[in-house]
Amino acid sequence: MPERRTVALVTLGCARNEVDSEELAGRLEADGWQLVENAENADVAVVNTCGFVEAAKKDSVDALLEANDLKDHGRTQAVVAVGCMAERYGKELAEALPEADGVLGFDDYADISDRLQTILSGGIHASHTPRDRRKLLPVSPAQRQAADVALPGHAQAAAPPAPADDVEAAESAPADLPEGLAPASGPRAPLRRRLGSSPVASVKLASGCDRRCSFCAIPSFRGSFISRRPSDVLGEARWLADQGVSEVMLVSENNTSYGKDLGDIRLLETLLPEIAALDGIRRVRVSYLQPAEMRPGLIDVLTSTPNVAPYFDLSFQHSAPAVLRAMRRFGDTDRFLGLLEQIRAKAPQAGVRSNFIVGFPGETEEDVAELERFLTHARLDAIGVFGYSDEDGTEAATYDTKVDEEVVAERLARISRLAEELTAQRAEERIGETLEVLVESAGTDGEPATGRAAHQAPETDGHIIFTRDASLPDGAALAVGRMVVAKVVGTEGVDLVAECLEEAGR
């Protein structure tokens, strides 16, 4: 029997890319490829790139060059670029980086096995030609579900029609779906293969974005907004629970728009309790929320549903009205503070994080002072701050009111210092709180166990550090994936130090 072809997937960027990589892994494994963890042990290294900002692009190029170096002294024979940077630049990336043996776009994902085999065999597959993916879907959201467009992270394996009396299949869809959204066949397994053993995993809720923020290029290469069917989201969450996942994070470019192309903008409020009730799921987290699209009903569900984290990843970006208008966004300091007041009135312990851009074209010192006013009063748990830089093809890149680079750098340093101070203060406010914590590291070699509370998303928001030698009252160790109740007794920056009290009940 010939030796199986091996492939390694190297993923950069956000949680949406992680989902896409696991879809590619599922497709490749189904076609006979052996998945390996390290690129040096693979015939083909597939680098899932990020194309969002300059720093992410540089990281993607560095990863491709690092993988290419393995061809000189390892098993690796080919390096292939996929993901957002490959989709966004295509042939341009291939010409600038000849070390990549292939540059594949989203339309190649369905045939990824054939593409890799061609490249591995010494053949040439024409590099992806970029195009504005917003033009691939109808302008009307209601007409998008029938469109035949590649949507990474949405793939489902085919399933045979379910018998009319198959109660289990009938119960696989969320209750109270809009007419016509019940699945026409039995439950479909996700075309996905997990690439790690973390008790946390993301699920794509939708793809693309209909907003036209003047600084953002994402819609041009991710396309217009299109929701996944609720039955597919629910089925994938159930499959992840069977794989040992305790926390599901719902991701997309804009989760607050979910359902608008399915006939019900409030569909997320219906779907969340269904996911939270699945056996094995202890926490559901929703990311990427647009402040301008928040609604009372969604706030209610996020703050009052058992097993749904009262967590708000709100994309504020700035708070000065003039800057927000130039960004083609809505709101101001007082409206944003009012939104946070609504949230905390229902859930005082709710977690809130956001990102901000400083040095945007036309930004004045008065605008920066207004942002400082907002940050000082907002009591955010986590803050990301970025200095503005032009992005190819965006409206803001054409503005003639650019702020000097030195001024951008100064404002970035200034707001970053403030953010660090404020988030540390917010962490100190949580001393004495009792939190449910998902254990993510059991601690070894003298290192303490760690985990995350409901207000802490993976990778971005800090974590819980358990006091040394922490264990449950019966002496049981803090096993990965277990949910425990802990009391906050101290802080280390944005991280919280906590002592374990007991195992959390379902």
Side-chain angles (χ1 to χ4, degrees), residues 87 107 131-138 147-150 224:
E87 173 66 35
D107 294 331
R131 51 181 172 167
D132 189 338
R133 297 192 73 84
R134 290 172 292 193
K135 299 178 181 179
L136 302 182
L137 289 167
D148 184 16
V149 175
S224 297

Side-chain angles (χ1 to χ4, degrees), residues 149-182:
V149 175
L151 298 168
H154 288 223
Q156 298 287 130
D165 59 351
D166 190 336
V167 177
E168 182 178 353
E171 293 178 346
S172 68
D176 303 323
L177 286 180
E179 184 177 356
L181 287 186

